[in-house]
């Protein structure tokens, strides 16, 4: 089954003060040739994780510039999501693949879902592996089909990659975040397009220090103590346990430091709960470690407040397709430390606009340097913000999609 996600209104005109004018003009020009085009985005969840984050802005902006865009999510039985999480992990390099039963569940749910697609779309953009098989079961339906992979597929479990490859081959084009992620043996047109954040969303809009302090104080964060922060799903690839270990090292030098781990529970992530429990256990009874989720009412404004208030933003991932949280931290001009993997080095130039780390010890060391050098860290944060402005804000992503649609239409 496919369920429509209702998005609010957004206006490209509002972004004129945040990005350069030629970009806005280019978008308007491209949109002129695509007026009324029907675009369908399909993914697996409307909540939690980067894809939902992107679509909440991209879809209304596509509408604002004249396209008839909509967003639907695939709704399936629990076993389907267990299988797709295995697929996700396998594509990021995990040795465990799908067994035959799991493959049949994956295929069955895609086949049944394909029956409710309907016709009349000009472009169908399928995000990530969960709905990937729709193109195979639906036929082309007179649309151009685009598969958008958001995952770090640089060193995939080859058996799973080989199983998916023929299904990807049915698409008119595939989009990846980095060249390194392109599936070996894929011979359809490929584009490399980075994701983006919405600078005007509740999560990223400017928040005064007073407002940020007030919001985080509701969660017991004191204004005068240094705060380390990681915002991410409770997922081993995001390495929250490593972040806790780094914090423990920092704590020996900076006794007043606190750590906040904020992670949402995505509906398509059945592993989230058990890993949440492991994370809580790993933190032990240290009351200076705060572990929160959307179930504690940490929504977009609260995430913004934590990011705006943090002294150091960490994203110590071991694999990371892109890592929107890095751009979100840098957009707030915050000292940001990221794992040296996947899309993170695109966003952070080590030592200039943040730090890239390969270990717990390095992460701790860079946190301590940052706490010791607030002025220098601020300069780095500002450099990071300008890098994000130039490359990772939604109008650029919108432009890239419109360019692609124009090419496919031609
Ligand atoms: N996020 C959130 N609340 C949380 C945890 C994450 O709103 O408790 C958001 C985060 O701000 C970012 C997105 O979820 O916008 C995560 O995207 P990212 O690319 O970093 O990772 P993904 O979850 O897609 O692997």
């Amino acid at each position: 089954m496919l369920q429509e996600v209702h998005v609010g209104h957004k206006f490209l005109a509002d972004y004129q003060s945040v990005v350069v004018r030629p970009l806005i003009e280019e978008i308007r020009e491209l949109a002129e040739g695509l007026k009324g085009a029907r675009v369908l985005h399909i993914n697996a969840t409307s909540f939690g994780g980067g894809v939902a984050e992107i679509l909440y802005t991209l879809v209304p902006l596509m509408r604002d510039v004249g396209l008839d865009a909509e967003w639907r999510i695939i709704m399936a039985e629990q076993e389907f999501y267990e299988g797709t999480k295995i697929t996700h992990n396998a594509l990021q390099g995990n040795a465990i693949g799908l067994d035959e039963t799991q493959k049949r569940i994956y295929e069955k749910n895609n086949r049944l879902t394909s029956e409710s697609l309907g016709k009349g779309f000009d472009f169908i953009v399928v995000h990530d592996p969960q709905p990937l098989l729709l193109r195979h079961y639906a036929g082309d339906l007179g649309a151009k089909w685009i598969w958008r992979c958001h995952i770090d597929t640089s060193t995939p479990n080859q058996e799973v990659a080989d199983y998916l490859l023929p299904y990807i081959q049915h698409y008119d084009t595939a989009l990846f975040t980095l060249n390194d992620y392109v599936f070996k043996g894929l011979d359809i047109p490929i584009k490399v397009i980075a994701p983006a954040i919405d600078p005007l969303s509740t999560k990223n809009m400017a928040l005064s220090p007073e407002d940020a302090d007030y919001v985080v104080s509701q969660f017991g964060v004191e204004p005068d103590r240094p705060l380390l922060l990681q915002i991410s799903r409770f997922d081993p690839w995001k390495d929250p346990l490593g972040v806790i270990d780094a914090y423990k090292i920092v704590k020996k030098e900076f006794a007043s430091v606190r750590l906040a781990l904020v992670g949402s529970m995505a509906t398509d992530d059945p592993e989230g709960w058990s890993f949440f429990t492991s994370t809580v256990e790993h933190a032990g009874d240290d009351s200076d470690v705060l572990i929160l989720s959307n179930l504690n009412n940490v929504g977009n404004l609260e995430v913004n407040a934590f990011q705006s208030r943090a002294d150091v933003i960490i994203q110590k991932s071991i694999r990371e397709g892109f890592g929107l949280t890095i751009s979100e931290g840098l957009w707030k001009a915050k000292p940001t430390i990221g794992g040296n993997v996947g899309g993170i080095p695109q966003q952070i130039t080590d030592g200039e606009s943040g730090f890239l780390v390969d270990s717990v010890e390095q992460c701790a060391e860079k946190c301590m340097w940052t706490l010791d050098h607030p002025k220098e860290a601020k300069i780095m944060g500002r450099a990071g913000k300008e890098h994000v402005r130039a490359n990772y804000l939604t109008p650029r992503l919108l432009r890239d999609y419109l360019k692609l649609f124009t090419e496919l239409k031609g």
Side-chain angles (χ1 to χ4, degrees), residues 49-50 53 203 231 233 238 262-264 303 320 323-325 328:
E53 189 70 25
K203 183 174 288 173
I231 305 265
R233 289 180 293 105
K238 309 282 185 183
V262 178
S264 56
V303 169
E320 190 62 77
L324 290 176
T325 50
E328 290 167 4

Side-chain angles (χ1 to χ4, degrees), residues 26-99:
E26 190 182 357
I27 291 171
R28 299 252 183 245
E29 239 166 69
L30 286 162
E32 202 50 46
L34 293 162
K35 282 263 174 296
R38 281 193 74 196
V39 180
L40 173 61
H41 288 272
I42 305 173
N43 79 319
T45 180
S46 62
F47 180 79
V51 182
E53 189 70 25
I54 290 164
L55 293 178
Y56 269 113
T57 297
L58 189 62
V59 172
L61 280 182
M62 281 188 174
R63 285 187 190 166
D64 181 55
V65 299
L67 281 70
D68 182 2
E70 57 183 290
W71 170 16
R72 296 183 197 166
I73 53 172
I74 184 166
M75 304 284 288
E77 55 199 322
Q78 187 58 22
E79 289 85 352
F80 171 80
Y81 298 107
E82 284 160 15
T84 55
K85 193 66 211 272
I86 292 172
T87 305
H88 179 107
N89 289 339
L91 289 178
Q92 297 211 130
N94 204 330
I96 301 167
L98 294 172
D99 63 28

Side-chain angles (χ1 to χ4, degrees), residues 177-178 181 194-197 315 317 320-331 334 336-356 380-389 391-393 396:
T177 299
L178 294 183
Y181 296 174
I197 61 163
Q315 186 59 60
S317 302
E320 190 62 77
F322 180 71
L324 290 176
T325 50
I326 296 282
S327 277
E328 290 167 4
L330 293 176
W331 182 244
K334 287 288 166 178
T336 303
I337 298 174
N340 190 12
V341 292
I344 296 179
Q346 276 203 328
Q347 301 175 73
I348 293 178
T349 306
D350 190 33
E352 271 178 38
S353 55
F355 291 109
L356 296 171
M380 287 175 127
R382 286 194 185 134
K385 175 161 186 157
E386 290 317 307
H387 181 60
V388 172
R389 189 195 305 279
N391 297 286
Y392 303 122
L393 299 184
R396 191 272 307 150

Side-chain angles (χ1 to χ4, degrees), residues 2 38 81 157 175 313 325 385 409:
L2 284 166
R38 281 193 74 196
Y81 298 107
N157 169 327
L175 311 182
I313 290 182
T325 50
K385 175 161 186 157
K409 191 179 153 215

Side-chain angles (χ1 to χ4, degrees), residues 92-257:
Q92 297 211 130
N94 204 330
I96 301 167
L98 294 172
D99 63 28
E100 290 309 307
T101 313
Q102 287 162 333
K103 283 182 188 167
R104 297 300 90 79
I105 292 172
Y106 179 45
E107 291 157 9
K108 181 187 84 180
N109 280 278
N110 269 272
R111 179 171 48 73
L112 292 175
T113 305
S114 72
E115 289 164 10
S116 60
L117 259 172
K119 283 193 173 174
F121 295 103
D122 296 289
F123 306 100
I124 299 179
V125 189
V126 172
H127 296 261
D128 280 342
Q130 298 94 331
L132 169 65
L133 277 46
L134 289 180
R135 166 66 185 83
H136 168 77
Y137 290 112
D140 76 8
L141 298 176
K144 297 289 182 193
W145 286 73
I146 298 146
W147 186 55
R148 201 322 173 203
C149 179
H150 294 267
I151 308 172
D152 177 347
T153 45
S154 49
T155 51
N157 169 327
Q158 205 51 51
E159 194 267 323
V160 173
D162 290 345
Y163 164 64
L164 296 178
L165 191 66
Y167 294 107
I168 308 172
Q169 297 275 88
H170 289 308
Y171 282 77
D172 293 288
T173 190
L175 311 182
F176 294 89
T177 299
L178 294 183
N179 261 319
D180 276 1
Y181 296 174
V182 177
F183 279 54
K184 307 224 163 17
L186 192 61
D187 62 4
I188 57 171
I190 300 294
K191 281 235 177 320
V192 173
I193 295 181
I197 61 163
D198 179 357
L200 304 184
S201 68
T202 316
K203 183 174 288 173
N204 294 313
M205 67 188 189
L207 210 55
S208 72
E210 297 75 25
D211 287 340
D213 271 350
Y214 176 76
V215 174
V216 299
S217 73
Q218 315 284 307
F219 299 92
V221 176
E222 307 86 339
D224 48 354
R225 294 178 61 183
L227 181 68
L228 314 181
L229 172 72
Q230 175 157 298
I231 305 265
S232 68
R233 289 180 293 105
F234 289 101
D235 180 322
W237 302 110
K238 309 282 185 183
D239 200 19
L241 308 190
V243 177
I244 293 172
D245 293 340
Y247 151 82
K248 285 179 181 162
I249 298 174
V250 177
K251 185 81 174 165
K252 289 185 191 149
E253 299 281 325
F254 293 82
S256 61
V257 76

